[in-house]
Amino acid sequence: MAKNVRHLLGLSGGKDSSALAVYMRDRVPEMEYFFTDTGKELPETYEFLDRLEVILGKKIIRLNVERDFDHWLTIQGGMLPSSQVRWCTIQLKIRPFEKYVEENIGKDKVYHYIAIRADEDRVGFKPLKTTSLRNIIPKYPFKEDGITKDDVYQILEEKGLGLPDYYKWRTRSGCYFCFFQRKSEWVGLLEQHPDLFELAKGYEKFNSETGERFTWSQGESLEELANPERIEQIKINTEKAKASKKKEKPNRRLIEILTDIHDDEDDEEPCLICHK
Ligand code: SF4
């Protein structure tokens, strides 16, 4: 008997996966959209996904709702994730997706649509070594169709979706305490969601006996980063970077300048699943 074919597209709440969703809406009407919820997303992300559902005309499947970040943090013995030990991506993003495929799709062929753009040089979805899934085939429509970052902005505007509200101060989706955040984004979190900033602070650890400490942001604790003088310094640095980017390309919108600055600052590849 011929196997069925399913089409899945994972949303992060970020601009690229959202643009891909609206781009594919009429091209693959049977597309199934899913979002793996860490339980620690920004409120703006949930609001954006609700708007996206209206434009897509169908429900976005929410995975993970019972086992959030804190559940896995307990399982990990309290060891917080970092860019070197990224257990959160495996437990909260990749495994739930693979489990969903195993339980709901079985051996049917799955086309998995991934929002890597034509102007990016990145590696796509890699199944976990422990998985038995051989039926997931990645698809890169933006790469195939030559869609770049500028096209993504245009797609989002043309479809009436725009950008998530958090783009005013942060250009990546994902957990509010994500360790991939830049200094200026932490300042944004402090100013926009002081309650979430306090919760993020609560995860940081300091061992007074050994002097060891875990901080989300490299080289300083959130307590230190929240010092008014430090905030001022971070803001001055960001303004300088904005002015220099604006000089390079005067017609770009502020949001695009901010995205460019953040892209320039990245010295390691952020999480494809969380931040796309
Ligand atoms: S957003 Fe950041 S902290 Fe959250 S699961 Fe992804 S990599 Fe981990």
Side-chain angles (χ1 to χ4, degrees):
M1 200 171 80
K3 284 182 186 166
N4 290 323
V5 177
R6 302 275 287 266
H7 301 265
L8 297 187
L9 194 156
L11 293 153
S12 67
K15 72 176 188 324
D16 292 321
S17 61
S18 304
L20 182 62
V22 291
Y23 184 75
M24 297 308 295
R25 185 190 64 181
D26 301 328
R27 290 173 168 84
V28 181
E30 64 274 36
M31 186 75 80
E32 299 165 56
Y33 303 95
F34 69 94
F35 170 69
T36 43
D37 191 343
T38 62
K40 303 292 172 184
E41 310 286 335
L42 290 163
E44 290 92 333
T45 300
Y46 297 114
E47 186 269 334
F48 186 68
L49 290 172
D50 290 345
R51 282 200 281 136
L52 185 54
E53 272 183 342
V54 174
I55 288 175
L56 296 174
K58 59 170 77 167
K59 279 265 165 223
I60 296 167
I61 302 157
R62 317 270 171 140
L63 307 178
N64 250 3
V65 281
E66 283 157 23
R67 293 173 160 201
D68 70 357
F69 180 90
D70 291 334
H71 166 87
W72 289 109
L73 182 60
T74 308
I75 302 277
Q76 294 290 331
M79 185 190 70
L80 286 160
S82 64
S83 54
Q84 290 81 34
V85 188
R86 232 187 283 176
W87 60 255
C88 51
T89 313
I90 295 171
Q91 299 297 1
L92 292 160
K93 297 285 175 180
I94 302 176
R95 273 199 210 290
F97 166 63
E98 296 193 343
K99 187 164 174 271
Y100 177 78
V101 171
E102 269 166 354
E103 292 178 356
N104 296 280
I105 299 179
K107 299 273 181 266
D108 286 350
K109 187 191 274 189
V110 175
Y111 285 120
H112 180 207
Y113 293 79
I114 298 169
I116 297 182
R117 304 184 312 259
D119 55 337
E120 288 181 294
D121 183 19
R122 300 188 63 169
V123 179
F125 168 79
K126 279 185 267 176
L128 294 173
K129 289 201 180 84
T130 50
T131 188
S132 60
L133 294 173
R134 296 285 174 269
N135 52 335
I136 301 176
I137 300 159
K139 300 272 273 180
Y140 304 97
F142 280 172
K143 270 204 168 300
E144 284 162 21
D145 296 350
I147 303 289
T148 62
K149 196 196 284 181
D150 285 345
D151 299 319
V152 161
Y153 290 126
Q154 202 179 333
I155 291 167
L156 291 171
E157 248 168 52
E158 276 174 9
K159 302 285 179 186
L161 185 61
L163 290 161
D165 266 1
Y166 62 75
Y167 262 72
K168 290 175 196 147
W169 51 279
R170 164 175 165 155
T171 57
R172 281 193 193 142
S173 48
C175 303
Y176 63 81
F177 48 57
C178 184
F179 44 85
F180 280 117
Q181 276 177 100
R182 300 87 172 188
K183 305 288 183 188
S184 59
E185 293 179 315
W186 280 111
V187 173
L189 183 70
L190 174 63
E191 293 179 343
Q192 301 294 325
H193 295 290
D195 51 334
L196 296 182
F197 189 89
E198 279 307 306
L199 288 174
K201 255 165 81 175
Y203 285 95
E204 295 196 320
K205 288 182 189 152
F206 178 65
N207 185 329
S208 53
E209 280 171 26
T210 62
E212 264 183 330
R213 65 180 193 169
F214 174 87
T215 57
W216 288 120
S217 183
Q218 211 179 2
E220 63 191 329
S221 69
L222 294 183
E223 182 95 45
E224 289 158 352
L225 190 144
N227 179 302
E229 281 173 21
R230 177 69 180 121
I231 290 176
E232 192 54 30
Q233 189 191 11
I234 293 169
K235 285 186 172 176
I236 289 171
N237 291 345
T238 308
E239 284 311 312
K240 274 189 198 156
K242 271 191 211 164
S244 133
K245 278 279 166 205
K246 198 155 178 55
K247 223 169 161 185
E248 274 173 32
K249 294 180 187 172
N251 295 328
R252 286 177 86 72
R253 292 181 303 159
L254 184 61
I255 200 92
E256 295 168 32
I257 291 172
L258 207 56
T259 312
D260 281 355
I261 293 170
H262 288 161
D263 286 352
D264 286 356
E265 281 174 6
D266 285 339
D267 50 8
E268 55 195 341
E269 196 165 271
C271 175
L272 175 70
I273 307 173
C274 302
H275 304 306
K276 259 287 157 192

